[in-house]
Amino acid sequence: MSERLLSRIGICIAAASLAFTLSACRENEQDRPLTFEKGVYEGMPDQKLNEQDRGELRARTHIQQF
Amino acid sequence: MLSAWVLAVLAFVVPINPPAHAQGDAATSMPETLEGHGGPVRSVAIGADSAHALTSSFDYSAIYWGLEAHKGRELMRLEGHDAAVNDAAFVPNTDIAVTASDDGSVAVWNLDTGEMLKRFRGPGDKVLAVDVSRDGHYAASAGWDRRVRLYDLKELKELAAFEGHRGNVNDVAFSPDGETLYSASYDGTIQSWNVKERKPGRPIYSHGWGLNIVRALPDGKSLLFGSLDGSAGVVDIESGEVLVDLAVHNGPILSADIAVEAGMALVGGADGVVRVYRMADWILLHTFENPNGPIWGASLAKDGTAAMLAGLDDAAFLWQISPRKAFEPPMGEFPRRFQISADADPGERQFARKCSVCHTLTKDGANRAGPSLYGLFGRHAGTLEGYAYSDALKNSTIVWNDETIAKLFDDGPDVVTPGSKMPVQRLKSVEDRDALIAYLKRATDPSAASASGQ
Amino acid sequence: MARMKFLCDAERCIECNACVTACKNEHEIPWGINRRRVVTINDGNEGERSISVACMHCSDAPCMAVCPVDCFYQTEEGVVLHSKDLCIGCGYCFYACPFGAPQYPQVGNFGSRGKMDKCTFCAGGPEDNFSDAEFQKYGRNRLAEGKLPLCAEMCSTKALLAGDGDVVSAIYRERIVSRGFGSGAWGWGKAYPGGAS
């Protein structure tokens, strides 16, 4: 019984703190909206590099060491 | 740099008394937004009388506003540039304004009649900024042809094209006495120019990174600068030494303004952050973050209690500095109007992403850079009333239909309608092109009720 | 593979401008455009340093965020590229870029805006690899040939490094350890905050 009560209190505290946290993040309190969807490229698709090319590029990066 | 940060932190910790505000403060009498442009606003300037403002926009126009209590009234739309208007400045104590445009020209306007009194056409490169001397005698422009140009506003003639910068010139500013002109360039330097003798002065400061902003400070001895590396500061004209490092922005500095009487200076950046400083000691007074990104233009009210800001939005908006007011996001679900859901019709998506920045589908053209496409099919090119077409389109024999629109996007406007204002735009895939045409046909049909893409 | 990054070691740059010239020649870039340039800071003072700067191909590229027509894309290797077919030359990316990378050609026809041009990390553009169209619009596609950007590969002091970000930063760290100091890999923190890939 007391365990259930404790867990209930726990949930209440958790919910309250969550609500508090969320409210602190509200847009107008930070003076800005918190999501900003960046656009999506819809132009011609580019060709991808293959694994062999990538391996070569990685090896070549090491050559710059001195 | 560190000291500036310490000051910046202190500014938050130590409460600084805002200027006492009384009836008639700018903050309580200025409109929340200036709505009327059909594209992002590039610059904003509040007039010396605090009752008028000028904005310039990507929509190829500038607007002269009356600032009435809580409402901006469009007094005159200045149309005549052939590309985005980057900057607009009042000529003090007159009803004249000066604008600078991507079309390479600087124009002088009568604000009462909206008439373009004079157009100084440069070699075609973008002109980024204009400034006007306090006595209203001279104007100067900053051009991407690497030149600083000086104009006589009384005689309406170009006096000089100063050469010396090794990169695009991004900003110009007259000294308070009007005798010296300062320019900031992508080459990382600030140069001075002698207005009366019309000859080069000397290099003032070398920053390395490109400079976007220069403002002459009222003491006549120092300049405020802003760089693309995000740094801003105050430099001594005589010695070229940096006197104050201001807070570093997380992106290029794009705008600045000074309220002489209030003793305040404002700096805005591509990171959307605006900071207001007290010029006496360069203590940071206020910080604001714009949700929709860059601050391209900013203007402080005379009393420093408010500023008008401009950026990616189609409207300039008020930032009430003191008493501080929480900011309400001006936009809806998506911050930019061309962002639509991914499951939309493919043609509609093409339109939203590639056309809607400049065109609407409704009867109202909404003052966008291009004409409305309402009733497009069957229309003779260059004939929509109320839109200022280029001569190239006025004299065109094209009638818009499936074939001609397909050709426009296959070959590009530079080939099909050479000399028009439309930027070069081609659609590479036949599917995209056909989807767009099919969508346009549906959405621009005056008899269809579904023409509500905008 | 980690993403591609540029790193400029200001202690080594001797301001020879060879990277600038190599870039211009490799891509046959028109007059007035410099995809890469050398910036000298604290000119004439004790702290004078030179830095070779071009597009840094940022993790969270600000140019992509402000583009009104979404002409930018990022490859799997982290290279930030754009489509000149979509670009309307508005110039917004120029103002967003902390490195001043976007360039615009001198406009020819009155009223027509020039397309933005910038460093491609020698990765061409969306057109077919090695096609004439790709070369004309974006320059050579060295990455598809298994080669790194020419500016870095030909840098005689190896001030400018390019390639796999982990390898590049490891090389730089070793240098700092062996010489005992480092004035900072310029722009690294700004372009790749938190070392994010």
Side-chain angles (χ1 to χ4, degrees), chain B residues 79-434:
Chain B
E79 284 184 330
H81 277 297
D82 296 307
V85 186
N86 292 318
D87 200 8
F90 284 106
V91 178
N93 308 317
T94 66
D95 51 4
I96 290 172
V98 187
T99 55
S101 165
D102 267 4
D103 68 15
S105 72
V106 168
V108 182
W109 306 81
N110 181 324
L111 292 172
D112 285 337
T113 61
E115 183 196 353
M116 192 192 272
L117 300 173
K118 178 75 183 177
R119 190 172 189 184
F120 301 103
R121 290 181 194 271
D125 306 81
K126 286 171 192 273
V127 187
L128 258 284
V130 286
D131 194 32
V132 174
S133 62
R134 282 195 195 172
D135 60 6
H137 194 146
Y138 300 106
S141 66
W144 278 20
D145 63 347
R146 305 181 172 190
R147 288 179 179 83
V148 174
R149 288 186 153 74
L150 180 69
Y151 311 93
D152 186 316
L153 291 174
K154 298 209 164 119
E155 314 242 327
L156 290 180
K157 67 177 193 199
E158 183 175 321
L159 297 175
F162 295 123
E163 290 178 46
H165 277 296
R166 290 180 301 145
N168 301 339
V169 185
N170 291 324
D171 203 8
V172 281
F174 281 97
S175 61
D177 62 13
E179 288 180 9
T180 314
L181 187 59
Y182 301 100
S183 57
S185 163
Y186 185 73
D187 68 12
T189 67
I190 294 174
Q191 308 271 345
S192 76
W193 314 90
N194 187 316
V195 172
K196 280 207 181 115
E197 294 174 22
R198 287 166 216 169
K199 51 180 207 195
R202 60 192 179 88
I204 302 287
Y205 172 59
S206 174
H207 184 70
W209 296 101
L211 292 170
N212 289 337
I213 294 291
V214 62
R215 294 286 183 279
L217 292 169
D219 64 6
K221 294 174 185 162
S222 55
L223 304 172
L224 174 67
F225 69 89
S227 166
L228 65 83
D229 74 344
S231 58
V234 179
V235 66
D236 183 79
I237 294 170
E238 191 58 40
S239 68
E241 260 177 73
V242 175
L243 303 173
V244 185
D245 283 315
L246 299 174
V248 177
H249 283 243
N250 188 24
I253 306 297
L254 301 178
S255 51
D257 193 32
I258 289 161
V260 177
E261 287 168 31
M264 288 156 78
L266 174 153
V267 176
D271 55 358
V273 175
V274 186
R275 292 188 171 95
V276 172
Y277 300 91
R278 187 165 63 197
M279 286 194 284
D281 47 13
W282 293 100
I283 279 187
L284 177 66
L285 297 176
H286 307 280
T287 304
F288 168 77
E289 196 170 340
N290 175 31
N292 293 331
I295 307 291
W296 279 318
S299 185
L300 269 170
K302 217 167 162 185
D303 63 4
T305 58
M308 295 297 301
L309 305 176
L312 273 179
D313 299 335
D314 288 359
F317 59 94
L318 183 76
W319 169 30
Q320 189 172 309
I321 299 171
S322 61
R324 175 91 182 207
K325 201 172 155 192
F327 178 74
E328 285 169 27
M331 293 283 201
E333 190 181 351
F334 296 112
R336 286 178 286 161
R337 61 165 179 263
F338 59 84
Q339 290 172 336
I340 59 167
S341 68
D343 50 4
D345 169 88
E348 186 178 357
R349 271 213 321 270
Q350 292 291 333
F351 176 81
R353 296 230 179 267
K354 292 163 195 167
C355 319
S356 75
V357 177
C358 301
H359 299 278
T360 67
L361 300 168
T362 53
K363 253 185 177 165
D364 175 14
N367 305 316
R368 301 253 165 100
S372 166
L373 302 180
Y374 179 80
L376 175 70
F377 285 75
R379 188 203 288 171
H380 283 266
T383 58
L384 185 75
E385 251 177 65
Y387 181 77
Y389 285 97
S390 60
D391 288 339
L393 272 182
K394 276 186 212 153
N395 303 326
S396 170
T397 53
I398 295 173
V399 176
W400 295 119
N401 56 36
D402 292 51
E403 288 78 43
T404 50
I405 296 172
K407 191 168 162 50
L408 181 69
F409 292 117
D410 284 345
D411 300 341
D414 50 332
V415 175
V416 179
T417 58
S420 80
K421 293 188 265 182
M422 185 166 171
V424 181
Q425 203 69 286
R426 266 175 294 187
L427 294 174
K428 273 287 157 170
S429 103
V430 176
E431 293 79 41
D432 284 352
R433 184 199 70 193
D434 291 347

Side-chain angles (χ1 to χ4, degrees), chain B residues 39-42 58 60 82-84 86 102-105 119 121 123-126 128 144-146 168 170 186-187 206-210 212 228-230 248-254 270 293-294 296 312 336 338-339 352-354 357-358 414 418-428, chain C residues 31-35 37-43 45 49 51-54 56 62-70 83-115 127 133 137 186-187 189-190 193:
Chain B
V41 180
R42 290 282 283 110
F58 181 81
Y60 299 12
D82 296 307
N86 292 318
D102 267 4
D103 68 15
S105 72
R119 190 172 189 184
R121 290 181 194 271
D125 306 81
K126 286 171 192 273
L128 258 284
W144 278 20
D145 63 347
R146 305 181 172 190
N168 301 339
N170 291 324
Y186 185 73
D187 68 12
S206 174
H207 184 70
W209 296 101
N212 289 337
L228 65 83
D229 74 344
V248 177
H249 283 243
N250 188 24
I253 306 297
L254 301 178
W296 279 318
L312 273 179
R336 286 178 286 161
F338 59 84
Q339 290 172 336
R353 296 230 179 267
K354 292 163 195 167
V357 177
C358 301
D414 50 332
S420 80
K421 293 188 265 182
M422 185 166 171
V424 181
Q425 203 69 286
R426 266 175 294 187
L427 294 174
K428 273 287 157 170
Chain C
W31 189 89
I33 291 187
N34 280 314
R35 288 185 178 178
R37 73 212 151 95
V38 175
V39 171
T40 302
I41 53 169
N42 297 320
D43 203 359
N45 295 328
R49 294 277 184 283
I51 308 139
S52 174
V53 190
M56 290 290 278
C63 52
M64 295 178 82
V66 299
C67 179
V69 293
D70 291 324
S83 161
K84 288 195 181 179
D85 290 331
L86 300 187
C87 172
I88 57 172
C90 67
Y92 294 2
C93 51
F94 176 82
Y95 300 104
C97 175
F99 304 103
Q103 303 279 299
Y104 299 84
Q106 311 270 327
V107 282
N109 290 336
F110 173 71
S112 77
R113 293 190 283 253
K115 304 283 185 180
E127 262 77 2
K137 285 184 195 165
W186 280 92
K190 200 175 265 178

Side-chain angles (χ1 to χ4, degrees), chain C residues 73-89:
Chain C
Y73 63 100
Q74 200 154 17
T75 70
E76 283 176 16
E77 292 75 37
V79 178
V80 176
L81 299 175
H82 74 295
S83 161
K84 288 195 181 179
D85 290 331
L86 300 187
C87 172
I88 57 172

